[in-house]
Amino acid sequence: MRNLEVADIFDDIADFLELKNENPFRIRAYRRASQNIKSLNEDIEEILKRDGLLEILGIGKDLALKIKEIITEGRLKYLEELKREFPEGLAEIMNIPNIGPKTAKLLYEKLNIRDIDTLEEYAKAHRLSSLPGIREKTEENILKGIELVRRGRERMSLGIALPLAEKIINDLKDSSGIKRITYAGSLRRMKETIRDIDILVSSNSPNIIMDNFVKLPVVKEIISKGKTKSSILTKEGIQVDIRVVKPDSYGAAMVYFTGSKAHNIRIRELANKKGFKINEYGVFRKSDGKKIAGNEEIGVYNAIGLPYIEPELREDQDEIEAAINGRLPDILKLEDIKSDLHIHTKYSDGANSLKKIIDACKELGYEYIAICDHSKSLKVAGGLSEKDLMKQVGQIRKFNKISKDIKILAGSEVDILDDGSLDFDGDILKELDLVVASIHTGFKQAREKLTYRILKAMENKYVNVISHPTGRLMGARDAYELNLDRIFKQAADTNTAIEINAFPQRLDLTDINCKRAREFNVNFAIGTDTHSLPQLNYIRFGVAVARRGWIEAGSILNALSFKEFLKRIKK
DNA sequence: GCCGTTTTCGGCCCGACTGTTTTCAGTCG
């Protein structure tokens, strides 16, 4: 997979073109191409092989040639030429907040500043004030920005961002004058990682909201405070932006602030062609400036002839075309979920007793759940021996006899061993209601070997689900190399479901891979991999991944009724 | 540099905030 390599090169080119003050539309073409390549769900080398580059949105003749050069030559002459014109450090300088191409170029040309360290020296010595448009305040901001860059403005996981946004909204929502309040941005689109949190408010008295916002207990620093828009930095160093609009603009503002930027650009282009203008206040007829929509999101889409598009789909990844052609998927909803198919208990490395887990799941309204503790080989996680597993199965059977509200599936998260066989024999596995198989060893093995192990496991007639199929742990471990297309095909052929592991550090499969797997007609199982009670709520992150992957309820095992579920998993 | 129900040229999304300016450029989302 060299998609990222190609995307990064196009991004670098865009940086250089900005420094050169090139045609902004040309720069945007590179950025858009980069963005689209990043979110492709197919290997770009494969696309090149089948001569399909021009089908990629935003790739024309010229960029197709450049992609070919990158893949075959391992480099791009054009980028190397650009690199000769400017020192490499300038791109880094442009990463500093509030320093864009104009300032970076000015610093370089007037003071020969070509890296962050030099810039810091100059700013501290007040030697930047000699430049036009830079005085003391800008020097201060540059120093602050350098600190931010050094600390690394990393993206946080959805699991951190969502609760934080909910807390801020909760703290704010009683402010007088707030009519509606929500989070927007990449958080509302439920991207797996988030950089900034965006909050949107509708109110007729924005001043009060701005004042209350910058006084919230989480605020460490006020980045900017205006009449309708402010930004703060929390004590954890997370930027939170807020925007207040009038109630009759709330829908348009929701669309605008939910993004993605690429999606917004597309719908604005579409509006333009139809004689409308879209901004964060509404949809306006160009002929007489009359506002024709804006209160609600759906009205904005309908005004330009589109059906409502779910936030998770708004990535300019074919959703506009699908909307135009009436082939938008009816994606999974949280309410569709009837079960959690991956839960650990005290039997292995979970924190809670079977009883506690069952009670909590009843509270959540589940129709059935699957208990899947680890298998005997995974000693570090307290894997169960055959004897202990059978004891657990017995306990579950007993429970099911007296329970009316919820069905408990006796399952196991069974290790896939080095040769692709399973950690328990068939005579044990046949006693279980659900077998979830996963790899916990040999992450560094070759792609072919790891792929083989999973393919082999799927051949086992007792295996219902492959859990966290790529093994990634965000911030700790990359996904291991797999031939996913072969795995998806095998999953469909053997009726083995692929798990969407909802644990925020995993989210494995990813949204992009879900979209790919969907083309193979595979079934999915969402599991929280819960090890302690609050983690049962992670289900919403798994649902988010499925939604971003265009998955409909019909192919999610745990969106099926218990009866349907049992039918569907038969191999 | 891409793209086409304005189709092979001439368009290309739109507005808020800051810091520096006497009316705006640069940056950001």
Side-chain angles (χ1 to χ4, degrees), chain A residues 259-523:
Chain A
S260 66
K261 196 174 173 177
H263 174 90
N264 285 350
I265 288 174
R266 288 295 307 283
I267 61 170
R268 284 171 188 206
E269 279 171 4
L270 211 60
N272 244 339
K273 282 179 197 150
K274 290 179 184 263
F276 302 115
K277 183 181 86 165
I278 299 182
N279 58 25
E280 59 261 58
Y281 303 112
V283 183
F284 301 86
R285 201 154 53 203
K286 280 198 272 191
S287 55
D288 57 2
K290 189 172 160 21
K291 180 169 163 183
I292 59 163
N295 294 17
E296 302 296 333
E297 275 192 310
I298 187 167
V300 173
Y301 285 102
N302 291 347
I304 56 170
L306 297 180
Y308 178 73
I309 300 176
E310 299 281 357
E312 290 90 339
L313 303 182
R314 300 180 196 169
E315 297 290 347
D316 188 20
Q317 285 305 312
D318 199 38
E319 78 279 7
I320 309 267
E321 290 73 15
I324 291 170
N325 299 316
R327 54 176 177 81
L328 273 178
D330 180 13
I331 56 175
L332 177 76
K333 297 178 197 65
L334 185 59
E335 307 90 85
D336 295 329
I337 295 295
K338 298 180 172 63
S339 167
D340 186 335
L341 293 175
H342 190 161
I343 301 174
H344 293 271
T345 71
K346 258 188 186 167
Y347 272 86
S348 65
D349 59 348
N352 307 97
S353 66
L354 190 56
K355 172 88 174 54
K356 280 238 168 80
I357 291 281
I358 293 171
D359 287 344
C361 288
K362 267 198 246 176
E363 282 288 305
L364 291 170
Y366 289 148
E367 190 183 336
Y368 55 103
I369 57 169
I371 302 298
C372 301
D373 275 310
H374 292 289
S375 61
K376 63 182 179 191
S377 290
L378 200 63
K379 298 267 194 294
V380 287
L384 275 63
S385 65
E386 282 90 349
K387 196 177 149 206
D388 286 339
L389 178 60
M390 285 306 116
K391 194 176 139 203
Q392 188 185 45
V393 170
Q395 199 187 351
I396 289 172
R397 300 276 178 253
K398 229 186 264 173
F399 179 87
N400 278 328
K401 268 188 194 149
I402 53 166
S403 163
K404 289 192 185 70
D405 320 326
I406 189 167
K407 298 274 190 301
I408 316 300
L409 296 162
S412 174
E413 181 182 5
V414 187
D415 262 46
I416 299 173
L417 303 178
D418 194 63
D419 60 355
S421 67
L422 294 189
D423 200 17
F424 289 130
D425 293 334
D427 56 340
I428 293 288
L429 296 178
K430 75 174 197 297
E431 299 299 321
L432 300 174
D433 305 314
L434 188 78
V435 174
V436 170
S438 56
I439 286 187
H440 289 107
T441 53
F443 302 127
K444 295 214 170 85
Q445 289 171 350
R447 171 181 154 112
E448 280 314 307
K449 166 97 179 174
L450 281 159
T451 303
Y452 169 81
R453 287 169 72 190
I454 294 181
L455 293 177
K456 184 89 192 294
M458 286 194 280
E459 277 169 16
N460 187 309
K461 65 176 174 181
Y462 299 111
V463 171
N464 306 111
V465 180
I466 298 295
S467 172
H468 45 73
T470 79
R472 73 147 174 190
L473 276 176
M474 276 185 253
R477 187 171 71 215
D478 285 340
Y480 34 76
E481 286 284 324
L482 290 175
N483 185 335
L484 281 175
D485 278 6
R486 281 184 70 191
I487 287 171
F488 296 151
K489 176 160 190 314
Q490 174 92 326
D493 291 348
T494 60
N495 192 31
T496 312
I498 300 289
E499 183 181 71
I500 298 171
N501 190 294
F503 213 83
Q505 279 73 43
R506 290 194 182 271
L507 300 184
D508 178 14
L509 281 186
T510 61
D511 46 10
I512 290 174
N513 285 333
C514 279
K515 223 170 155 184
R516 181 75 182 163
R518 175 179 180 261
E519 293 172 19
F520 292 79
N521 276 324
V522 312
N523 285 317

Side-chain angles (χ1 to χ4, degrees), chain A residues 18-36:
Chain A
E18 281 194 323
L19 284 168
K20 283 168 70 94
N21 203 12
E22 266 274 0
N23 175 0
F25 299 107
R26 194 170 161 231
I27 297 168
R28 188 197 293 166
Y30 277 100
R31 296 251 187 249
R32 182 165 178 226
S34 169
Q35 201 60 44
N36 286 340

